[in-house]
Amino acid sequence: MSSVQQFIVVGLPGFQDHESKLLFSVIFLIAYLLICLGNLSIIVTFMLDESLHKPMYALICTLAIFDICYSSSTVPRALAVLMFDSNVVSFAACFAQIYIFHAVGSSQAFLFMLMAYDRFVAICNPLLYPTIMTSRVILKQIALCWLCGFITLIIPLILALRLPFCGPNKVTHLYCDHTSVVRLACADISVNSIVTLIVCLSVIFIPLAYNLYSYTRIITSVLKIASSEGRTKAFSTCGSHLVVMFITSFTAAGVYISYRIPGTSEDMRILAAVLQTIIPPLLNPVIYCLRNKEIRDSIVKTVKRCIISP
């Protein structure tokens, strides 16, 4: 039984002055608007351009949706705390935000596995690719990524909800962070910490291991391609996926591990956690637009069409 009905999100303990809050607010707001603009441009372009209605671009569009959902689960709350001193969060809303944040992050990790598999089939078995990766199959696989991500976090959520919260209710963070909230429980949380760490690191490193294996096989196959143009195109596509995957995986792993390193600054840990939800979604559209000519040309064509149309 919990006597706590709401939590108070403190923010950054070392930056409680108005000037610091304003500075971080402006930075986070600009970053969030760019995230929404960049990823929405990919989603809209995919929807309007039928030439992009292929499995690979469906996966990139899904990643853009994940990026918006991922940053939207935390950044607006952080902005509310910094800009309007809106610190009070209900018990239910706090745990709902924790669950959505981690579930979307887990779903994204599974999506990276699917993207690696898609490139593996396309490059290593090009003749079978149209048969294996049909539109219907890819939609089912994307739905499975969502489902697996939300199922994976059920056990840590149940363990957290079973804890009694009867004492302090101040969350030292910019949003409801799982570890920060669980530490407020007036009971032993060792089981929660171990289970959560195992689940989170598994979600990060199992897909990462599979992706590295897939791309190793892909690189081996690409090196056998006689055409230099074919090799360049294959490396460009896979390079985009690898960069995005490494940025996301290692920023997430760094945040989780930082909680287990004694002496880590509370402010640095909180900022790292917020940047984890900002940097990958901010860079993903840039990476794909710069490295993928079809998406870049399609965005330009879509923009021109919108300008010319009355």
Side-chain angles (χ1 to χ4, degrees):
M1 298 295 295
S2 298
S3 59
V4 173
Q5 299 300 315
Q6 59 187 23
F7 293 100
I8 298 174
V9 182
V10 175
L12 294 165
F15 299 94
Q16 291 293 317
D17 57 287
H18 178 71
E19 291 76 13
S20 298
K21 286 184 176 182
L22 180 61
L23 175 63
F24 285 119
S25 299
V26 171
I27 294 172
F28 293 159
L29 180 60
I30 292 173
Y32 182 63
L33 292 175
L34 290 174
I35 288 169
C36 293
L37 178 64
N39 287 287
L40 280 174
S41 65
I42 290 178
I43 296 168
V44 172
T45 301
F46 173 79
M47 293 174 65
L48 295 178
D49 192 345
E50 291 187 4
S51 67
L52 295 181
H53 291 182
K54 301 173 184 176
M56 184 181 78
Y57 298 112
L59 293 172
I60 293 174
C61 179
T62 305
L63 179 63
I65 295 172
F66 277 133
D67 284 339
I68 293 175
C69 294
Y70 193 56
S71 57
S72 296
S73 66
T74 57
V75 178
R77 166 49 53 190
L79 289 173
V81 172
L82 291 170
M83 297 177 72
F84 308 110
D85 291 325
S86 179
N87 304 81
V88 179
V89 185
S90 69
F91 187 93
C94 188
F95 276 95
Q97 187 240 293
I98 290 172
Y99 180 63
I100 292 171
F101 169 66
H102 289 288
V104 172
S106 299
S107 300
Q108 190 178 59
F110 293 122
L111 181 70
F112 285 136
M113 290 182 69
L114 182 55
M115 294 174 80
Y117 176 71
D118 173 74
R119 291 300 85 203
F120 173 77
V121 176
I123 294 173
C124 299
N125 298 289
L127 297 179
L128 296 176
Y129 182 76
T131 306
I132 297 174
M133 301 299 286
T134 63
S135 298
R136 189 168 183 174
V137 168
I138 203 70
L139 288 175
K140 288 181 178 179
Q141 291 173 336
I142 289 171
L144 188 61
C145 289
W146 281 97
L147 183 62
C148 290
F150 278 78
I151 289 176
T152 303
L153 270 298
I154 288 178
I155 294 177
L157 178 69
I158 292 173
L159 289 174
L161 287 171
R162 287 170 59 89
L163 292 171
F165 293 88
C166 50
N169 65 339
K170 291 186 177 181
V171 180
T172 309
H173 215 286
L174 280 169
Y175 54 84
C176 284
D177 171 69
H178 179 272
T179 304
S180 301
V181 171
V182 167
R183 285 179 176 176
L184 298 176
C186 46
D188 181 26
I189 62 168
S190 55
V191 174
N192 296 70
S193 299
I194 293 170
V195 171
T196 303
L197 183 64
I198 291 172
V199 170
C200 291
L201 293 183
S202 298
V203 167
I204 292 171
F205 288 110
I206 290 176
L208 183 62
Y210 174 80
N211 293 341
L212 290 175
Y213 167 76
S214 298
Y215 285 116
T216 301
R217 294 283 303 274
I218 289 170
I219 290 170
T220 304
S221 298
V222 168
L223 293 175
K224 296 177 183 178
I225 298 176
S227 167
S228 60
E229 183 182 347
R231 286 198 301 269
T232 302
K233 186 176 180 180
F235 275 127
S236 176
T237 303
C238 295
S240 301
H241 293 337
L242 280 169
V243 170
V244 168
M245 179 189 67
F246 276 114
I247 290 173
T248 305
S249 299
F250 283 104
T251 51
V255 171
Y256 288 123
I257 293 172
S258 70
Y259 278 99
R260 273 76 191 174
I261 300 176
T264 305
S265 167
E266 200 74 50
D267 291 315
M268 291 300 296
R269 187 181 293 149
I270 294 170
L271 286 173
V274 176
L275 290 177
Q276 172 200 347
T277 67
I278 290 177
I279 292 177
L282 188 62
L283 293 180
N284 290 351
V286 177
I287 292 169
Y288 283 115
C289 290
L290 288 178
R291 297 185 65 89
N292 194 299
K293 188 176 185 298
E294 288 186 67
I295 293 180
R296 190 168 60 247
D297 292 345
S298 183
I299 290 176
V300 172
K301 184 172 66 175
T302 303
V303 171
K304 287 181 179 178
R305 188 191 308 164
C306 293
I307 293 173
I308 294 172
S309 299

